[in-house]
Amino acid sequence: MKKVIVIAGATATGKSSFALRLAHALMTEIVSCDSIQVYRDLNIGSAKITTEEMQGIVHHCLNTRNLDQQYSVYDFQQEARAAIAKIHSLGKIPILVGGTGLYLKAVLYDYDFEKEEMIIPESSESNEILYARLLQEDPVSASSIHINNRKRILRALEIAKSGETKSQREAKQEKKPIYDVTMIVLDMPNVVLEKRIDERIRRMAENGWIEEVKHCFSDPQTWTYQSFQGIGYKEWKEYLQEKIGLEETLLTILIHTRQFAKRQRTWFRHQSTATWVNALDPFTLDRTASEIISWAKQEE
RNA sequence: GGGGGGGUAGCGAAGUGGCUAAACGCGGUUGACUGUAAAUCAAUUCUCUCCGAGUUCGGCGGUUCGAAUCCGUCCCCCCCCA
């Protein structure tokens, strides 16, 4: 199996700079695992790394979509694996960086998606009826999906139309990584992380965030875009409508970002087996970096 | 000084005699997660516990079998008139 390095963690934990450091040391390239940073023009609000900050390191899976385009884990899986293959073909070990847990897992494991199932048609039927149908068609999946979780019910029903249910499809998977993976999760005490998030939001507001939002999403038609659903964008809707002020908008974004970071932590804690690293401790970071570098340099 | 409105759980806000430890929203906590995942969803949130018990609705004191809800009094806040 080919080696892959994964740097995960909640938002604002310093993933990018740590990855950059490894990329320099290993003279390799980075694959971003982020569902919002794939959109061109969403730079400030998505906390995307700037070209300068990349320091010449090649970054993949960034800026690959226009604002009006849809994107899903399927697309990411395809494109990220292609990027990984390309980096491997150069004789280098790719570094995956990101906070979108599902995306990471879908690339690393043998998750199996069908291209034609991208869009789920909305239904006019109630959750109760949809759930009852799923209970018929795929009782195994139904048992693990809550009746209120309409999106998941619809997805499972859509998959069942293919003749193979969601649970059957997943049962065929080995649920093992398809690469030789070293993965760490960068983390820090919550009070510190919340302070960093707060500071970052202030900084973004001072650096042209509002202009970016106005440039991308002034037209109410754009408010339905998937790209507008990201934290740091959707909250500006009421500001643009002049329903709330700047401070209130920033506060809402702060709260949403905190909640997001919490969900990310929970995901990595329970859905991954990565090693957790205190991102605030320079000695731990040094040691972690050198461990990863020596692992990367080992012959199989 | 006069008139009016109001003080309910971390916040906002219902409730105006028993069905109320108190709706609902927000926030918090915990968690789920295989196609919008920065999404979607669940549980929990006065205190102590297993049933259950104990303290709550600005303070104090009453009325009542029973009060967040009625009465008295005190404190505080907002608006209008002086």
Side-chain angles (χ1 to χ4, degrees):
Chain A
M1 283 197 292
K2 300 270 181 64
K3 288 180 179 175
V4 166
I5 295 164
V6 180
I7 312 299
T11 188
T13 48
K15 299 184 292 291
S16 297
S17 64
F18 188 70
L20 231 31
R21 166 180 179 175
L22 291 178
H24 279 299
L26 295 167
M27 293 186 298
T28 185
E29 302 178 4
I30 286 174
V31 180
S32 160
C33 298
D34 191 289
S35 62
I36 297 294
Q37 296 182 1
V38 296
Y39 289 106
R40 280 176 214 110
D41 301 328
L42 300 191
N43 301 128
I44 297 168
S46 72
K48 192 188 291 168
I49 187 170
T50 64
T51 309
E52 268 173 39
E53 289 166 341
M54 289 182 192
Q55 302 163 8
I57 299 289
V58 177
H59 281 65
H60 299 267
C61 295
L62 241 32
N63 305 317
T64 60
R65 290 294 184 288
N66 293 324
L67 295 177
D68 60 353
Q69 289 182 291
Q70 290 195 307
Y71 192 77
S72 88
V73 63
Y74 170 83
D75 302 294
F76 180 76
Q77 189 188 48
Q78 300 287 312
E79 290 161 27
R81 282 185 181 165
I84 289 168
K86 182 178 159 263
I87 298 166
H88 279 146
S89 74
L90 300 171
K92 297 172 178 175
I93 298 173
I95 302 175
L96 308 198
V97 186
T100 306
L102 176 67
Y103 283 18
L104 280 170
K105 212 167 178 181
V107 167
L108 264 20
Y109 290 77
D110 57 340
Y111 279 20
D112 181 25
F113 305 112
E114 299 294 323
K115 192 173 185 0
E116 50 283 356
E117 288 161 9
M118 167 76 190
I119 298 161
I120 328 172
E122 234 320 325
S123 164
S124 56
E125 302 191 89
S126 69
N127 288 358
E128 286 68 28
I129 290 175
L130 292 170
Y131 190 77
R133 190 178 305 150
L134 185 61
L135 225 33
Q136 286 293 312
E137 299 189 20
D138 185 359
V140 177
S141 292
S143 69
S144 63
I145 300 176
H146 192 278
I147 189 166
N148 291 350
N149 208 336
R150 174 169 256 264
K151 279 190 181 179
R152 297 243 170 97
I153 296 173
L154 285 169
R155 176 106 263 153
L157 284 171
E158 186 64 22
I159 293 173
K161 283 185 189 165
S162 71
E164 182 181 48
T165 66
K166 179 171 178 289
S167 53
Q168 287 167 342
R169 187 181 291 176
E170 286 171 23
K172 291 195 309 193
Q173 296 164 189
E174 288 188 65
K175 298 186 165 48
K176 284 180 190 159
I178 61 173
Y179 304 104
D180 181 6
V181 179
T182 279
M183 175 167 172
I184 63 161
V185 173
L186 255 29
D187 199 36
M188 62 185 66
N190 199 245
V191 275
V192 183
L193 184 62
E194 291 188 353
K195 187 158 163 280
R196 286 168 68 119
I197 290 171
D198 189 32
E199 287 166 355
R200 189 171 73 179
I201 285 172
R202 304 254 153 230
R203 216 179 309 127
M204 294 193 297
E206 287 162 13
N207 290 329
W209 195 359
I210 303 174
E211 290 69 27
E212 175 175 293
V213 171
K214 284 182 177 166
H215 175 254
C216 295
F217 301 115
S218 279
D219 182 352
Q221 280 196 329
T222 62
W223 297 347
T224 60
Y225 290 175
Q226 189 180 327
S227 56
F228 187 63
Q229 309 315 311
I231 295 167
Y233 293 101
K234 61 182 171 189
E235 293 86 357
W236 291 98
K237 178 177 166 182
E238 289 188 295
Y239 177 85
L240 292 171
Q241 295 175 128
E242 295 181 354
K243 287 184 185 168
I244 62 173
L246 177 63
E247 280 306 312
E248 197 177 345
T249 305
L250 295 179
L251 180 61
T252 306
I253 292 171
L254 174 66
I255 289 166
H256 287 173
T257 308
R258 281 180 187 162
Q259 293 171 334
F260 171 50
K262 189 167 174 36
R263 264 178 279 129
Q264 287 179 300
R265 275 216 185 88
T266 302
W267 198 95
F268 289 122
R269 191 153 48 217
H270 300 279
Q271 301 286 324
S272 82
T273 54
T275 307
W276 287 59
V277 175
N278 180 357
L280 289 182
D281 178 8
F283 299 105
T284 308
L285 282 183
D286 283 349
R287 202 190 62 228
T288 305
S290 57
E291 280 170 5
I292 291 173
I293 290 163
S294 64
W295 171 81
K297 288 180 173 167
Q298 272 170 26
E299 296 298 321
E300 329 263 312

